[in-house]
Amino acid sequence: MPARPVATRRATLVALSAGVLVTTGCDLDALDPRPVPSPAGTTTTTEPGDGDEALVDTAVASIVATLAVVESARGDAELRRAVTDLDRLHRAHLEELDPEGVRVCGPDADDCPETLGAPDGVGRPGRQALLAQEQAHRTTLADLAGQAASGALASVLASMSAAVAQRLATLPAARRGGAA
């Protein structure tokens, strides 16, 4: 029968971590993710142009560009269901980020197009073009999530990126342009 170890792996790791914290002079309060309360009598405000608005604008532009490619692929019979699902997904994301349509249509929503179809000059993309646009959009959302100052916005953008990735993962191999 093997001898029982003097210290468990967990106890050893905890002791080593504590030793590192003590020797490096780390303050455990600095590791606390909760915000530090402001001193009495001071107020904090978030400026509308704090950088996250630019991220939202970029995300909306990426959604609109992706919707244009999705709309132009609507004629492909093999992609019809996937295109419908992607269209619903992107429109829901657009509604989440731009509920009044201000970023898409400008301040006057009267001149907003009813649909966000493919712009002039965009023909019917192939499967690879659709897949490439969706991958680029997913990457854009993930990158923007990493740049967001607001935790809520970062969470929303990361969730959107994951939703696009899930839709892409559920496409049958034949629809992704690969052989089964």
Side-chain angles (χ1 to χ4, degrees):
M1 179 173 200
R4 188 167 186 211
V6 175
T8 64
R9 187 176 356 175
R10 183 177 295 158
T12 303
L13 289 174
V14 169
L16 287 173
S17 298
V20 168
L21 287 174
V22 169
T23 59
T24 60
C26 289
D27 184 7
L28 290 178
D29 289 336
L31 300 176
D32 189 358
R34 295 175 291 183
V36 176
S38 299
T42 62
T43 59
T44 57
T45 59
T46 304
E47 294 298 319
D50 64 355
D52 279 354
E53 291 227 8
L55 297 178
V56 172
D57 289 343
T58 302
V60 167
S62 180
I63 293 170
V64 170
T66 303
L67 269 171
V69 174
V70 168
E71 285 295 317
S72 64
R74 199 169 281 285
D76 189 330
E78 291 181 25
L79 293 174
R80 187 165 291 135
R81 181 177 174 150
V83 165
T84 300
D85 289 345
L86 289 167
D87 183 72
R88 282 188 200 132
L89 176 72
H90 297 314
R91 288 182 189 278
H93 290 172
L94 191 60
E95 179 66 25
E96 177 74 23
L97 293 176
D98 190 24
E100 283 94 34
V102 174
R103 286 179 170 85
V104 175
C105 305
D108 186 14
D110 292 338
D111 61 343
C112 187
E114 186 102 356
T115 62
L116 297 170
D120 293 337
V122 175
R124 223 174 106 201
R127 290 180 190 100
Q128 293 300 327
L130 178 64
L131 183 62
Q133 177 62 35
E134 291 291 338
Q135 290 286 9
H137 176 57
R138 182 198 60 75
T139 301
T140 297
L141 291 172
D143 291 345
L144 293 173
Q147 298 171 25
S150 162
L153 178 61
S155 178
V156 166
L157 293 172
S159 175
M160 289 178 180
S161 176
V164 172
Q166 286 177 333
R167 287 280 195 256
L168 290 174
T170 62
L171 290 176
R175 290 190 185 167
R176 284 188 266 155

